[in-house]
């Protein structure tokens, strides 16, 4: 039986909040964009001092699949 290789577009969506000490909404937004994130295989992190940031995120992501395309055929 021949099998095919399929490419499945996938999104893992982690939702949560960063509580950030900032001077304005834009300042808070910039601090999160520049200093906070998630590393695949790692943890949610921030380079801001602990007294300036706190976060709450669910450990379980929402998974969405999108377009599926055939990449190549394999001969078995």
């Amino acid at each position: 039986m021949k099998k095919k290789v399929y490419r499945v577009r996938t999104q893992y969506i982690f939702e949560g909040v960063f509580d950030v000490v900032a001077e304005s909404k834009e300042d808070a937004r910039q601090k999160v964009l520049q200093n906070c994130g998630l590393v695949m295989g790692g943890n949610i992190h921030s380079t801001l001092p602990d007294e300036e940031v706190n976060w709450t995120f669910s450990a379980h992501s929402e998974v969405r699949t999108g377009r599926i395309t055939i990449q190549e055929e394999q001969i078995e």
Side-chain angles (χ1 to χ4, degrees):
M1 172 187 226
K2 287 186 177 182
K3 292 186 179 181
K4 299 174 183 171
V5 175
Y6 294 90
R7 176 172 289 170
V8 180
R9 295 212 176 268
T10 309
Q11 292 179 327
Y12 292 90
I13 303 163
F14 291 88
E15 188 172 334
V17 296
F18 286 100
D19 295 323
V20 181
V21 175
E23 294 179 8
S24 66
K25 288 181 183 180
E26 185 56 30
D27 184 34
R29 180 179 176 278
Q30 286 302 316
K31 283 185 174 187
V32 169
L33 290 174
Q34 294 172 4
N35 300 289
C36 304
L38 171 70
V39 177
M40 285 189 62
N43 296 317
I44 295 167
H45 69 278
S46 173
T47 57
L48 294 170
D50 289 343
E51 56 274 358
E52 288 189 27
V53 66
N54 188 19
W55 60 81
T56 305
F57 280 80
S58 170
H60 304 286
S61 65
E62 176 185 343
V63 180
R64 294 182 189 169
T65 58
R67 190 167 126 200
I68 301 173
T69 57
I70 298 173
Q71 293 303 300
E72 60 184 67
E73 291 191 25
Q74 291 183 341
I75 300 172
E76 211 175 282

